[in-house]
Amino acid sequence: MTLPAPSPRSRRLAAITVVWAAAAVSPAARAQLGATVGIDSDYRFRGVSLSDSKPSLRLTVNHDVDTGPWAGTYLGASLTRAEVRDDTYLQTTGYAGYVTRPRDDRSFETGFSVSHFNRDASAYDYGELYAGVLAPRWSLRLSYSPDYFGQRVQTVYADASAYRTLDERARVFGHLGVLVPIAGTDRYGLPDSHRTRADGRIGIGWSAQALDLQLAWTSATRGGPYPAAYTGRRSAWVLSAAYSF
């Protein structure tokens, strides 16, 4: 399938992503810079496999501001191998946000993210604005995209996550999300591109110092404006390992 040439919007999104990635590793941020290297047996994004059900590596860098007038601000970037339209690309995601100080064990969060796919897949670049509520063991978030995965469809994604500790190292966790297309027309006329799509994830995690292991079962209904193949498996077990520096 021939992909369309990158639009001015795609080039702007790519530029913003590069700016946030550069900011995340700037000398001024190194004192509080964190990095995580991980591998997933299947790169699943909101229940959809973006790796053709194959293993995928990821690298994330993040900088949190703990003191001063910018306390509560964070920014970062991640690199992930993604498979889009029967080819492999590098997905770069930059993000930035702000979390308020806890009050009654709850904080409010707001921010945005921008994702860029390299080479001729940049037509799938997209951005999101999000806001949510964070508690010690659960979170709620609402995200809005004006052009989800470059599919010319506006979407709203609502999700809820929670976890419960079993001991000092083990925990169980769960996630539920719903993607709702609210406006626009899909550029390729893909089937079910305007159908609401729900996804869920439940699993167990184990942490020891900088190492974190997870095993989760994830599933999703059909529909939604995604560039991945619609014939892929809707459910899968996913094993993940991550090491933080």
PDB file of all heavy atoms in Angstrom, residues 96-117:
ATOM      1  N   ALA A  96       4.765  15.996  27.702  1.00  0.00           N
ATOM      2  CA  ALA A  96       5.026  16.961  28.767  1.00  0.00           C
ATOM      3  C   ALA A  96       3.730  17.183  29.524  1.00  0.00           C
ATOM      4  O   ALA A  96       2.630  17.105  28.954  1.00  0.00           O
ATOM      5  CB  ALA A  96       5.540  18.282  28.208  1.00  0.00           C
ATOM      6  N   GLY A  97       3.838  17.460  30.832  1.00  0.00           N
ATOM      7  CA  GLY A  97       2.633  17.653  31.619  1.00  0.00           C
ATOM      8  C   GLY A  97       2.929  18.264  32.972  1.00  0.00           C
ATOM      9  O   GLY A  97       4.076  18.599  33.301  1.00  0.00           O
ATOM     10  N   TYR A  98       1.880  18.387  33.750  1.00  0.00           N
ATOM     11  CA  TYR A  98       1.981  18.984  35.077  1.00  0.00           C
ATOM     12  C   TYR A  98       1.058  18.233  36.028  1.00  0.00           C
ATOM     13  O   TYR A  98      -0.092  17.928  35.683  1.00  0.00           O
ATOM     14  CB  TYR A  98       1.583  20.458  35.030  1.00  0.00           C
ATOM     15  CG  TYR A  98       1.528  21.114  36.390  1.00  0.00           C
ATOM     16  CD1 TYR A  98       2.691  21.485  37.056  1.00  0.00           C
ATOM     17  CD2 TYR A  98       0.299  21.350  37.023  1.00  0.00           C
ATOM     18  CE1 TYR A  98       2.637  22.081  38.312  1.00  0.00           C
ATOM     19  CE2 TYR A  98       0.237  21.948  38.275  1.00  0.00           C
ATOM     20  CZ  TYR A  98       1.411  22.308  38.912  1.00  0.00           C
ATOM     21  OH  TYR A  98       1.360  22.886  40.154  1.00  0.00           O
ATOM     22  N   VAL A  99       1.569  17.938  37.218  1.00  0.00           N
ATOM     23  CA  VAL A  99       0.799  17.260  38.264  1.00  0.00           C
ATOM     24  C   VAL A  99       0.744  18.155  39.492  1.00  0.00           C
ATOM     25  O   VAL A  99       1.787  18.629  39.963  1.00  0.00           O
ATOM     26  CB  VAL A  99       1.429  15.902  38.634  1.00  0.00           C
ATOM     27  CG1 VAL A  99       0.626  15.227  39.743  1.00  0.00           C
ATOM     28  CG2 VAL A  99       1.510  14.994  37.424  1.00  0.00           C
ATOM     29  N   THR A 100      -0.453  18.400  40.002  1.00  0.00           N
ATOM     30  CA  THR A 100      -0.600  19.250  41.184  1.00  0.00           C
ATOM     31  C   THR A 100      -0.129  18.517  42.429  1.00  0.00           C
ATOM     32  O   THR A 100       0.003  17.284  42.443  1.00  0.00           O
ATOM     33  CB  THR A 100      -2.068  19.660  41.379  1.00  0.00           C
ATOM     34  OG1 THR A 100      -2.854  18.485  41.648  1.00  0.00           O
ATOM     35  CG2 THR A 100      -2.611  20.359  40.144  1.00  0.00           C
ATOM     36  N   ARG A 101       0.118  19.280  43.487  1.00  0.00           N
ATOM     37  CA  ARG A 101       0.466  18.670  44.764  1.00  0.00           C
ATOM     38  C   ARG A 101      -0.727  17.863  45.291  1.00  0.00           C
ATOM     39  O   ARG A 101      -1.876  18.256  45.118  1.00  0.00           O
ATOM     40  CB  ARG A 101       0.855  19.754  45.771  1.00  0.00           C
ATOM     41  CG  ARG A 101       2.138  20.496  45.418  1.00  0.00           C
ATOM     42  CD  ARG A 101       2.495  21.500  46.493  1.00  0.00           C
ATOM     43  NE  ARG A 101       3.704  22.235  46.156  1.00  0.00           N
ATOM     44  CZ  ARG A 101       4.936  21.802  46.391  1.00  0.00           C
ATOM     45  NH1 ARG A 101       5.106  20.628  46.988  1.00  0.00           N
ATOM     46  NH2 ARG A 101       5.997  22.523  46.056  1.00  0.00           N
ATOM     47  N   PRO A 102      -0.463  16.727  45.943  1.00  0.00           N
ATOM     48  CA  PRO A 102      -1.567  15.902  46.459  1.00  0.00           C
ATOM     49  C   PRO A 102      -2.428  16.656  47.461  1.00  0.00           C
ATOM     50  O   PRO A 102      -1.931  17.410  48.292  1.00  0.00           O
ATOM     51  CB  PRO A 102      -0.835  14.730  47.125  1.00  0.00           C
ATOM     52  CG  PRO A 102       0.510  14.698  46.488  1.00  0.00           C
ATOM     53  CD  PRO A 102       0.848  16.121  46.204  1.00  0.00           C
ATOM     54  N   ARG A 103      -3.709  16.426  47.354  1.00  0.00           N
ATOM     55  CA  ARG A 103      -4.669  16.968  48.307  1.00  0.00           C
ATOM     56  C   ARG A 103      -5.706  15.883  48.566  1.00  0.00           C
ATOM     57  O   ARG A 103      -6.369  15.411  47.639  1.00  0.00           O
ATOM     58  CB  ARG A 103      -5.356  18.226  47.746  1.00  0.00           C
ATOM     59  CG  ARG A 103      -6.288  18.898  48.741  1.00  0.00           C
ATOM     60  CD  ARG A 103      -6.811  20.203  48.202  1.00  0.00           C
ATOM     61  NE  ARG A 103      -7.671  20.875  49.188  1.00  0.00           N
ATOM     62  CZ  ARG A 103      -8.269  22.045  48.985  1.00  0.00           C
ATOM     63  NH1 ARG A 103      -8.085  22.681  47.830  1.00  0.00           N
ATOM     64  NH2 ARG A 103      -9.027  22.575  49.922  1.00  0.00           N
ATOM     65  N   ASP A 104      -5.839  15.483  49.819  1.00  0.00           N
ATOM     66  CA  ASP A 104      -6.686  14.333  50.164  1.00  0.00           C
ATOM     67  C   ASP A 104      -6.262  13.098  49.373  1.00  0.00           C
ATOM     68  O   ASP A 104      -7.103  12.330  48.882  1.00  0.00           O
ATOM     69  CB  ASP A 104      -8.163  14.652  49.898  1.00  0.00           C
ATOM     70  CG  ASP A 104      -8.684  15.780  50.760  1.00  0.00           C
ATOM     71  OD1 ASP A 104      -8.180  15.917  51.894  1.00  0.00           O
ATOM     72  OD2 ASP A 104      -9.572  16.520  50.296  1.00  0.00           O
ATOM     73  N   ASP A 105      -4.935  12.930  49.215  1.00  0.00           N
ATOM     74  CA  ASP A 105      -4.348  11.789  48.499  1.00  0.00           C
ATOM     75  C   ASP A 105      -4.681  11.780  47.016  1.00  0.00           C
ATOM     76  O   ASP A 105      -4.551  10.743  46.360  1.00  0.00           O
ATOM     77  CB  ASP A 105      -4.790  10.458  49.130  1.00  0.00           C
ATOM     78  CG  ASP A 105      -4.102  10.212  50.460  1.00  0.00           C
ATOM     79  OD1 ASP A 105      -2.985  10.732  50.645  1.00  0.00           O
ATOM     80  OD2 ASP A 105      -4.696   9.515  51.304  1.00  0.00           O
ATOM     81  N   ARG A 106      -5.075  12.905  46.470  1.00  0.00           N
ATOM     82  CA  ARG A 106      -5.388  12.971  45.043  1.00  0.00           C
ATOM     83  C   ARG A 106      -4.668  14.146  44.395  1.00  0.00           C
ATOM     84  O   ARG A 106      -4.527  15.202  45.002  1.00  0.00           O
ATOM     85  CB  ARG A 106      -6.897  13.093  44.812  1.00  0.00           C
ATOM     86  CG  ARG A 106      -7.692  11.901  45.316  1.00  0.00           C
ATOM     87  CD  ARG A 106      -9.170  12.068  45.068  1.00  0.00           C
ATOM     88  NE  ARG A 106      -9.937  10.988  45.669  1.00  0.00           N
ATOM     89  CZ  ARG A 106     -11.258  10.875  45.619  1.00  0.00           C
ATOM     90  NH1 ARG A 106     -11.972  11.813  44.991  1.00  0.00           N
ATOM     91  NH2 ARG A 106     -11.869   9.864  46.185  1.00  0.00           N
ATOM     92  N   SER A 107      -4.230  13.910  43.162  1.00  0.00           N
ATOM     93  CA  SER A 107      -3.593  14.964  42.382  1.00  0.00           C
ATOM     94  C   SER A 107      -4.291  15.056  41.030  1.00  0.00           C
ATOM     95  O   SER A 107      -4.921  14.093  40.570  1.00  0.00           O
ATOM     96  CB  SER A 107      -2.101  14.653  42.154  1.00  0.00           C
ATOM     97  OG  SER A 107      -1.413  14.558  43.379  1.00  0.00           O
ATOM     98  N   PHE A 108      -4.174  16.228  40.409  1.00  0.00           N
ATOM     99  CA  PHE A 108      -4.737  16.423  39.073  1.00  0.00           C
ATOM    100  C   PHE A 108      -3.591  16.590  38.078  1.00  0.00           C
ATOM    101  O   PHE A 108      -2.579  17.228  38.383  1.00  0.00           O
ATOM    102  CB  PHE A 108      -5.660  17.644  39.049  1.00  0.00           C
ATOM    103  CG  PHE A 108      -6.883  17.479  39.900  1.00  0.00           C
ATOM    104  CD1 PHE A 108      -6.906  17.902  41.226  1.00  0.00           C
ATOM    105  CD2 PHE A 108      -8.016  16.873  39.375  1.00  0.00           C
ATOM    106  CE1 PHE A 108      -8.026  17.743  42.008  1.00  0.00           C
ATOM    107  CE2 PHE A 108      -9.157  16.700  40.157  1.00  0.00           C
ATOM    108  CZ  PHE A 108      -9.156  17.135  41.482  1.00  0.00           C
ATOM    109  N   GLU A 109      -3.787  16.017  36.923  1.00  0.00           N
ATOM    110  CA  GLU A 109      -2.746  16.005  35.903  1.00  0.00           C
ATOM    111  C   GLU A 109      -3.284  16.549  34.584  1.00  0.00           C
ATOM    112  O   GLU A 109      -4.433  16.310  34.215  1.00  0.00           O
ATOM    113  CB  GLU A 109      -2.242  14.570  35.692  1.00  0.00           C
ATOM    114  CG  GLU A 109      -1.219  14.429  34.584  1.00  0.00           C
ATOM    115  CD  GLU A 109      -0.922  12.974  34.259  1.00  0.00           C
ATOM    116  OE1 GLU A 109      -1.843  12.131  34.410  1.00  0.00           O
ATOM    117  OE2 GLU A 109       0.210  12.679  33.841  1.00  0.00           O
ATOM    118  N   THR A 110      -2.441  17.273  33.866  1.00  0.00           N
ATOM    119  CA  THR A 110      -2.787  17.719  32.522  1.00  0.00           C
ATOM    120  C   THR A 110      -1.514  17.734  31.688  1.00  0.00           C
ATOM    121  O   THR A 110      -0.410  17.922  32.217  1.00  0.00           O
ATOM    122  CB  THR A 110      -3.428  19.119  32.538  1.00  0.00           C
ATOM    123  OG1 THR A 110      -3.839  19.472  31.213  1.00  0.00           O
ATOM    124  CG2 THR A 110      -2.466  20.167  33.052  1.00  0.00           C
ATOM    125  N   GLY A 111      -1.652  17.509  30.392  1.00  0.00           N
ATOM    126  CA  GLY A 111      -0.474  17.486  29.542  1.00  0.00           C
ATOM    127  C   GLY A 111      -0.816  17.155  28.101  1.00  0.00           C
ATOM    128  O   GLY A 111      -1.989  17.143  27.708  1.00  0.00           O
ATOM    129  N   PHE A 112       0.219  16.888  27.313  1.00  0.00           N
ATOM    130  CA  PHE A 112       0.020  16.522  25.912  1.00  0.00           C
ATOM    131  C   PHE A 112       1.139  15.589  25.477  1.00  0.00           C
ATOM    132  O   PHE A 112       2.204  15.514  26.107  1.00  0.00           O
ATOM    133  CB  PHE A 112      -0.017  17.762  25.012  1.00  0.00           C
ATOM    134  CG  PHE A 112       1.322  18.427  24.827  1.00  0.00           C
ATOM    135  CD1 PHE A 112       2.135  18.093  23.755  1.00  0.00           C
ATOM    136  CD2 PHE A 112       1.767  19.381  25.725  1.00  0.00           C
ATOM    137  CE1 PHE A 112       3.373  18.698  23.574  1.00  0.00           C
ATOM    138  CE2 PHE A 112       2.996  20.001  25.558  1.00  0.00           C
ATOM    139  CZ  PHE A 112       3.806  19.655  24.480  1.00  0.00           C
ATOM    140  N   SER A 113       0.885  14.856  24.407  1.00  0.00           N
ATOM    141  CA  SER A 113       1.893  13.977  23.820  1.00  0.00           C
ATOM    142  C   SER A 113       1.819  14.096  22.304  1.00  0.00           C
ATOM    143  O   SER A 113       0.776  14.428  21.738  1.00  0.00           O
ATOM    144  CB  SER A 113       1.672  12.519  24.242  1.00  0.00           C
ATOM    145  OG  SER A 113       0.440  12.027  23.726  1.00  0.00           O
ATOM    146  N   VAL A 114       2.947  13.829  21.653  1.00  0.00           N
ATOM    147  CA  VAL A 114       3.039  13.862  20.194  1.00  0.00           C
ATOM    148  C   VAL A 114       3.811  12.631  19.739  1.00  0.00           C
ATOM    149  O   VAL A 114       4.900  12.361  20.258  1.00  0.00           O
ATOM    150  CB  VAL A 114       3.751  15.136  19.693  1.00  0.00           C
ATOM    151  CG1 VAL A 114       3.832  15.139  18.174  1.00  0.00           C
ATOM    152  CG2 VAL A 114       3.032  16.388  20.170  1.00  0.00           C
ATOM    153  N   SER A 115       3.259  11.866  18.798  1.00  0.00           N
ATOM    154  CA  SER A 115       3.915  10.669  18.278  1.00  0.00           C
ATOM    155  C   SER A 115       4.282  10.862  16.818  1.00  0.00           C
ATOM    156  O   SER A 115       3.483  11.384  16.029  1.00  0.00           O
ATOM    157  CB  SER A 115       3.009   9.442  18.418  1.00  0.00           C
ATOM    158  OG  SER A 115       2.909   9.035  19.771  1.00  0.00           O
ATOM    159  N   HIS A 116       5.505  10.437  16.474  1.00  0.00           N
ATOM    160  CA  HIS A 116       6.017  10.564  15.107  1.00  0.00           C
ATOM    161  C   HIS A 116       6.565   9.216  14.646  1.00  0.00           C
ATOM    162  O   HIS A 116       7.290   8.539  15.373  1.00  0.00           O
ATOM    163  CB  HIS A 116       7.121  11.620  15.050  1.00  0.00           C
ATOM    164  CG  HIS A 116       7.914  11.588  13.784  1.00  0.00           C
ATOM    165  ND1 HIS A 116       7.365  11.864  12.549  1.00  0.00           N
ATOM    166  CD2 HIS A 116       9.234  11.305  13.561  1.00  0.00           C
ATOM    167  CE1 HIS A 116       8.298  11.765  11.623  1.00  0.00           C
ATOM    168  NE2 HIS A 116       9.430  11.419  12.206  1.00  0.00           N
ATOM    169  N   PHE A 117       6.196   8.813  13.433  1.00  0.00           N
ATOM    170  CA  PHE A 117       6.714   7.598  12.810  1.00  0.00           C
ATOM    171  C   PHE A 117       7.704   8.014  11.724  1.00  0.00           C
ATOM    172  O   PHE A 117       7.411   8.905  10.924  1.00  0.00           O
ATOM    173  CB  PHE A 117       5.581   6.760  12.208  1.00  0.00           C
ATOM    174  CG  PHE A 117       4.604   6.240  13.227  1.00  0.00           C
ATOM    175  CD1 PHE A 117       3.528   7.021  13.627  1.00  0.00           C
ATOM    176  CD2 PHE A 117       4.761   4.989  13.799  1.00  0.00           C
ATOM    177  CE1 PHE A 117       2.618   6.554  14.574  1.00  0.00           C
ATOM    178  CE2 PHE A 117       3.866   4.513  14.746  1.00  0.00           C
ATOM    179  CZ  PHE A 117       2.790   5.303  15.129  1.00  0.00           C
TER     180      PHE A 117
END
